[in-house]
Amino acid sequence: MILINYPPREQWAEILRRPALDTENLFDTVRSIIDRVRAEGDKAVLDYEARFDKVELASLAVTEEEMQEAVEAVGVELKAAIYLAQKNIETFHAAQRFTGKKVETMEGVTCWQKAVGIEKVGLYIPGGTAPLFSTVLMLAVPAKLAGCKEIVLCSPPGKDGKIHPAVLFAARVAGVSKIYKAGGVQAIAAMAYGTESIPKVYKIFGPGNQYVTAAKQLVSLRDVAIDMPAGPSEVEVLADETANPVFVAADLLSQAEHGADSQALLITTSEKLQKEVMYEVERQLGYLPRRDIAAKALENSKLIVVKDTEEALQMTNEYAPEHLIIQTTDYHQLAERVTNAGSVFLGPLSPESAGDYASGTNHTLPTNGYAKAYSGVSLDSFIRKITFQEILPQGMCAIGPAIEVMAANEQLDAHKNAVTVRLNSIRKQ
Amino acid sequence: MILINYPPREQWAEILRRPALDTENLFDTVRSIIDRVRAEGDKAVLDYEARFDKVELASLAVTEEEMQEAVEAVGVELKAAIYLAQKNIETFHAAQRFTGKKVETMEGVTCWQKAVGIEKVGLYIPGGTAPLFSTVLMLAVPAKLAGCKEIVLCSPPGKDGKIHPAVLFAARVAGVSKIYKAGGVQAIAAMAYGTESIPKVYKIFGPGNQYVTAAKQLVSLRDVAIDMPAGPSEVEVLADETANPVFVAADLLSQAEHGADSQALLITTSEKLQKEVMYEVERQLGYLPRRDIAAKALENSKLIVVKDTEEALQMTNEYAPEHLIIQTTDYHQLAERVTNAGSVFLGPLSPESAGDYASGTNHTLPTNGYAKAYSGVSLDSFIRKITFQEILPQGMCAIGPAIEVMAANEQLDAHKNAVTVRLNSIRKQ
């Protein structure tokens, strides 16, 4: 860990800099896989599964039999936890439902918005040693609530040719329509363009490694929307001298264990806390199964002391953390002034883990400073707001002449004429 | 115009296909301009202005003196029209303000969202013969309402080294903070990375040619958000035998005059209307100053007859038009069932021109079928929704054990531990 005390303002940018993401150098490799899947469909996906996931699949779709097997394989305790998380995620996201108001901007000119679910969405769930069933819930629960008609999920199978039972169980609970054994670039390409088995979708969601990220970027240039650009996960803890160093250390470590490139940052007004957290991180690290990964991430982890909470807040807004945990006496007041962050956790008993799993908020959030321009995934991510307008004679008389003047000044006479012919017809009556 | 009668379903995809957009082949050219602006700042922007816009500028910022000159140059009639449009756009977008509800997902677990304006946004307004002051209003008015602190506008100057007075006036009315004379790729690069004069922004909005589009795509891969992918503008009119062919023809022409690549489509249940519209388009075309452009666009324009409004609606949702005008007797019922469109105009007196200029809805909309996954620009485009959560002891006791189980099953023990240390501290009390 790197201790930094009272850095002057001109050093902030350097201190807060993230490692550069560069997916563009992968574009050529990734594009060739995408092109082949686009041209050859299932055959290409099956080939890539054999090559990259080392598994020979007879078919891509998960069968009802496999689903039943998975449902039986998941333990009763995990099932209960998944149901609890699903319910909370549903409760929070259901409260985000949008009802458009009809607005009469002038008499006889009525405009409104209506939320409509994206018809077909694709969810990508990475494989690897740990089954990310929590991400299944975070994406499929709001998709279902939004009214998406087709919710497609792709996840790479293990060496046994199967998707982890907990992932399948979570998908069933959350209402996923169709599940396919496909990972990496080939899965993204399949959902972007469709194959014989895998349906084409209109928007692709979900995390992944740099190849998956590059594939999502490439297909999003023209053909399909994506949730948001991705980078390594990150947490910032903003704490004063009243914070519990055991909690702060545990929060930093829970981020560090994600991967060697994870960012864990403490910004505090207390030199004492800085030291205590440092010792506590070392102590807790010894107990962690993933201590090698966490230790690697901690090498770049910074514990920064600033002069007051005002400065801490300014530095926070400049950093724009994906997760921000505020453990100060005045955390409510500070929270009001956070302008750049993905998800904010308030007070001593709100660890990031709560939002990662079960409190109800979404865990798909903007990393890499993207919180300055992007929101995390929410119900909004699965809908579009279509605008409607209806203009009555009185309304056309009110706004028509202004439209004629504006259109004429933009040298768009046909635009003007579309109003003129209507004004003439009203005047004739 | 191409007349198509009762096409079988299997031909729809081909009939509704848009011309392919390919900005990727411009990436090398565009990247070199971006890189130079990033490295050399103002000097590079000034050089490119000389090369591409044929104008030698002493400086990039529009001065208060130039602004005053512009304000005086705009006629009283146009000023009044701009004020009327600004007021309606403001009324409609102000009604979109978001107030997050606090949701107790379980007792002691409170989660909410808060809308915060994107601090710095950049608006790009293309140059050319016609000054697009309406687009200034469409982007700057919601930016101001959203609470964006810095609203930067770039637009290429004319040969006289000045931006069109109407653009400057609209910018002043709408509350733009800073205006710069810069166009094309160099303007996008300047706003993405900042130069000595032009501030770096977090999100870039606005239309442009294929180079501007390619530049927005490239900078959005890593460094800055953009409003949405762009393609040629398009309108679909969905009409039955009761529609006025004069209005329908005027609406198709108002799209066709945008550019040779504009898409204008009629889907109707009436062969009689199809013919009348065809004659009426030819007649009105003769009066248009931009008839050469419009005639070119009309070559690819399709007038399609289908068997009933049900089929018309299905075809519409498959096409996902940017603008949809419904001129049928039952337009209210049909509107309810539109699932894919950017902005919908209902009844005989609601031409696209109304939404383009002055009814209050936004005219920055998803083209190229993107309406299947994207919304048009709205107040949402200028904010982020940050999530917050506060967990109290009772809440931690309710969800903590579920989090521990889920984290353990995802093999993330530090995530589990961040909860365990808190549960232990609660139990000790």
Side-chain angles (χ1 to χ4, degrees):
Chain A
M1 279 173 290
I2 303 162
L3 307 190
I4 300 172
N5 288 14
Y6 310 108
R9 181 117 207 171
E10 60 274 18
Q11 287 176 16
W12 288 13
E14 182 54 36
I15 290 169
L16 300 175
R17 192 199 308 275
R18 282 125 168 138
L21 301 174
D22 186 7
T23 47
E24 282 176 63
N25 61 25
L26 304 176
F27 276 5
D28 288 341
T29 315
V30 167
R31 197 189 318 258
S32 72
I33 300 175
I34 291 173
D35 288 348
R36 210 188 130 204
V37 171
R38 200 172 176 178
E40 298 176 28
D42 281 354
K43 184 179 172 301
V45 177
L46 289 164
D47 274 5
Y48 287 122
E49 281 307 314
R51 198 191 308 176
F52 299 131
D53 289 327
K54 313 286 177 211
V55 59
E56 300 286 342
L57 298 170
S59 69
L60 294 170
V62 169
T63 62
E64 184 52 33
E65 200 186 345
E66 288 173 298
M67 178 56 89
Q68 283 311 325
E69 223 176 81
V71 170
E72 280 162 38
V74 176
V76 103
E77 206 185 14
L78 180 56
K79 273 183 180 151
I82 286 175
Y83 278 124
L84 178 141
Q86 185 256 349
K87 197 188 133 294
N88 288 351
I89 296 165
E90 192 170 276
T91 302
F92 185 57
H93 288 76
Q96 296 165 20
R97 280 210 181 93
F98 171 81
T99 317
K101 292 179 272 224
K102 291 207 173 183
V103 180
E104 208 173 30
T105 54
M106 297 188 91
E107 216 177 318
V109 181
T110 308
C111 308
W112 66 98
Q113 293 177 300
K114 182 179 150 189
V116 181
I118 297 173
E119 220 175 303
K120 303 173 187 193
V121 296
L123 316 181
Y124 182 71
I125 305 296
T129 48
L132 294 183
F133 53 84
S134 61
T135 303
V136 177
L137 298 179
M138 292 293 172
L139 298 177
V141 170
K144 193 79 190 168
L145 278 173
C148 301
K149 297 228 168 60
E150 194 156 65
I151 304 170
V152 174
L153 187 152
C154 285
S155 190
K159 300 266 185 306
D160 60 353
K162 290 181 183 169
I163 294 176
H164 193 286
V167 168
L168 293 184
F169 178 74
R172 171 59 54 99
V173 168
V176 169
S177 334
K178 291 171 180 165
I179 308 171
Y180 300 93
K181 300 172 198 172
V185 177
Q186 61 272 26
I188 302 302
M191 293 193 283
Y193 301 106
T195 68
E196 300 87 332
S197 305
I198 304 176
K200 174 191 166 38
V201 301
Y202 301 143
K203 190 169 182 178
I204 297 176
F205 296 79
N209 62 21
Q210 54 185 343
Y211 290 93
V212 168
T213 300
K216 283 172 67 185
Q217 287 183 328
L218 270 179
V219 298
S220 78
L221 287 177
R222 271 206 301 236
D223 303 298
V224 62
I226 61 171
D227 46 0
M228 71 184 86
S233 191
E234 54 195 34
V235 74
E236 177 199 318
V237 182
L238 192 173
D240 64 13
E241 72 290 350
T242 66
N244 183 334
V246 176
F247 297 177
V248 174
D251 293 339
L252 295 176
L253 282 165
S254 73
Q255 191 53 247
E257 77 173 339
H258 269 302
D261 56 359
S262 288
Q263 312 281 302
L265 191 71
L266 170 67
I267 300 180
T268 178
T269 50
S270 163
E271 291 186 37
K272 181 163 170 280
L273 185 80
Q274 180 197 42
K275 297 230 163 54
E276 288 169 345
V277 167
M278 191 178 66
Y279 295 130
E280 190 57 34
V281 165
E282 296 295 346
R283 192 187 67 77
Q284 291 182 24
L285 184 63
Y287 299 106
L288 290 181
R290 292 166 74 96
R291 74 180 75 93
D292 292 346
I293 292 171
K296 196 91 190 144
L298 289 170
E299 283 172 19
N300 299 311
S301 181
K302 287 163 189 149
L303 309 181
I304 305 169
V305 180
V306 294
K307 74 172 194 301
D308 52 26
T309 49
E310 184 59 38
E311 206 171 80
L313 191 73
Q314 284 172 20
M315 193 181 265
T316 300
N317 283 328
E318 185 159 329
Y319 183 57
E322 179 192 13
H323 304 96
L324 170 64
I325 304 176
I326 308 184
Q327 300 186 39
T328 63
T329 39
D330 57 347
Y331 62 84
H332 276 127
Q333 288 93 304
L334 282 183
E336 287 295 318
R337 297 171 58 214
V338 171
T339 53
N340 295 325
S343 196
V344 187
F345 299 78
L346 300 177
L349 295 179
S350 309
E352 186 200 312
S353 312
D356 285 343
Y357 289 109
S359 61
T361 58
N362 211 289
H363 79 195
T364 308
L365 294 164
T367 55
N368 196 42
Y370 295 130
K372 289 179 178 172
Y374 293 89
S375 308
V377 164
S378 71
L379 200 64
D380 290 347
S381 314
F382 296 91
I383 59 149
R384 294 134 310 139
K385 291 181 182 168
I386 303 177
T387 51
F388 291 84
Q389 64 199 282
E390 182 177 7
I391 302 175
L392 299 178
Q394 196 171 9
M396 182 45 80
C397 293
I399 66 172
I403 299 170
E404 290 180 310
V405 171
M406 292 175 80
N409 274 280
E410 288 194 354
Q411 298 169 32
L412 294 172
D413 285 75
H415 282 64
K416 178 185 174 189
N417 192 50
V419 166
T420 308
V421 293
R422 284 162 165 104
L423 284 175
N424 288 344
S425 86
I426 295 171
R427 285 173 192 142
K428 265 189 230 147
Q429 282 168 357
Chain B
M1 279 174 290
I2 303 162
L3 306 191
I4 301 173
N5 288 16
Y6 309 107
R9 180 118 207 168
E10 60 274 16
Q11 287 177 16
W12 288 13
E14 183 53 37
I15 291 169
L16 300 175
R17 193 198 306 275
R18 284 130 167 133
L21 301 173
D22 185 7
T23 47
E24 281 177 62
N25 61 24
L26 305 176
F27 276 6
D28 288 341
T29 315
V30 167
R31 199 190 317 260
S32 72
I33 300 174
I34 291 173
D35 288 346
R36 208 186 134 206
V37 170
R38 199 173 176 177
E40 298 175 27
D42 281 353
K43 183 179 172 301
V45 178
L46 289 165
D47 275 5
Y48 287 122
E49 281 306 313
R51 198 191 308 176
F52 299 131
D53 289 326
K54 312 286 177 214
V55 58
E56 299 287 340
L57 298 170
S59 70
L60 295 170
V62 169
T63 62
E64 183 52 34
E65 200 186 343
E66 287 174 299
M67 178 57 88
Q68 284 311 325
E69 222 177 81
V71 170
E72 281 162 37
V74 175
V76 102
E77 206 185 17
L78 180 56
K79 272 183 180 151
I82 286 175
Y83 278 123
L84 178 141
Q86 184 255 350
K87 197 189 132 294
N88 288 350
I89 296 165
E90 192 171 277
T91 302
F92 185 57
H93 288 77
Q96 296 165 20
R97 280 211 182 94
F98 171 82
T99 318
K101 291 180 273 223
K102 291 208 172 182
V103 181
E104 208 172 31
T105 55
M106 298 189 89
E107 215 177 320
V109 180
T110 308
C111 307
W112 66 99
Q113 293 176 300
K114 183 180 149 188
V116 181
I118 297 174
E119 220 174 304
K120 302 173 187 191
V121 296
L123 317 182
Y124 182 70
I125 305 297
T129 48
L132 295 182
F133 54 83
S134 62
T135 304
V136 178
L137 298 179
M138 292 294 172
L139 298 177
V141 170
K144 192 78 189 169
L145 278 173
C148 301
K149 297 228 168 61
E150 194 155 64
I151 305 171
V152 174
L153 187 151
C154 284
S155 189
K159 300 267 185 305
D160 60 353
K162 290 181 183 170
I163 295 176
H164 194 286
V167 167
L168 293 184
F169 177 74
R172 170 59 55 98
V173 169
V176 170
S177 332
K178 289 170 181 166
I179 307 171
Y180 300 93
K181 299 173 198 171
V185 177
Q186 61 271 26
I188 303 300
M191 292 193 282
Y193 301 106
T195 68
E196 299 88 330
S197 305
I198 303 176
K200 175 193 166 32
V201 302
Y202 302 143
K203 190 169 182 178
I204 296 176
F205 296 78
N209 62 19
Q210 54 184 344
Y211 290 93
V212 168
T213 299
K216 283 172 67 185
Q217 287 183 327
L218 271 179
V219 299
S220 78
L221 287 177
R222 271 206 301 237
D223 303 297
V224 63
I226 60 171
D227 46 1
M228 70 183 85
S233 192
E234 54 196 34
V235 74
E236 178 201 315
V237 180
L238 193 172
D240 64 13
E241 73 288 351
T242 65
N244 182 333
V246 176
F247 296 177
V248 175
D251 292 340
L252 295 176
L253 282 165
S254 74
Q255 191 53 245
E257 76 172 340
H258 269 302
D261 55 359
S262 288
Q263 312 280 304
L265 192 70
L266 169 67
I267 301 180
T268 179
T269 49
S270 162
E271 290 186 38
K272 180 162 171 282
L273 185 80
Q274 180 198 41
K275 297 231 163 54
E276 287 169 344
V277 167
M278 191 178 64
Y279 296 129
E280 190 57 34
V281 165
E282 296 295 346
R283 193 187 66 78
Q284 293 183 23
L285 184 63
Y287 300 105
L288 290 182
R290 292 165 75 96
R291 73 180 74 93
D292 292 346
I293 292 173
K296 195 91 191 143
L298 289 170
E299 284 173 20
N300 299 310
S301 183
K302 288 163 189 149
L303 308 182
I304 305 170
V305 179
V306 294
K307 73 172 196 299
D308 53 26
T309 49
E310 184 58 38
E311 205 170 81
L313 191 73
Q314 284 171 19
M315 193 181 265
T316 300
N317 283 327
E318 185 159 329
Y319 182 57
E322 180 193 13
H323 304 95
L324 170 64
I325 304 176
I326 308 184
Q327 300 185 39
T328 62
T329 39
D330 57 347
Y331 62 83
H332 277 127
Q333 288 92 302
L334 282 183
E336 287 295 319
R337 297 171 57 213
V338 171
T339 54
N340 296 325
S343 197
V344 186
F345 300 77
L346 300 177
L349 295 178
S350 309
E352 187 200 312
S353 312
D356 284 344
Y357 288 109
S359 63
T361 59
N362 210 290
H363 80 197
T364 308
L365 295 164
T367 54
N368 197 41
Y370 294 130
K372 288 180 179 170
Y374 293 89
S375 309
V377 163
S378 72
L379 200 64
D380 290 349
S381 313
F382 296 91
I383 59 148
R384 294 134 311 141
K385 291 182 182 167
I386 303 177
T387 52
F388 291 83
Q389 64 198 283
E390 182 177 8
I391 302 175
L392 300 177
Q394 198 171 6
M396 183 44 82
C397 293
I399 67 172
I403 299 170
E404 290 180 310
V405 171
M406 293 175 80
N409 274 281
E410 288 195 354
Q411 298 170 31
L412 294 172
D413 284 76
H415 282 65
K416 178 186 174 188
N417 191 52
V419 166
T420 308
V421 293
R422 284 162 165 103
L423 284 175
N424 288 343
S425 86
I426 295 170
R427 285 172 191 143
K428 265 190 227 145
Q429 281 168 1

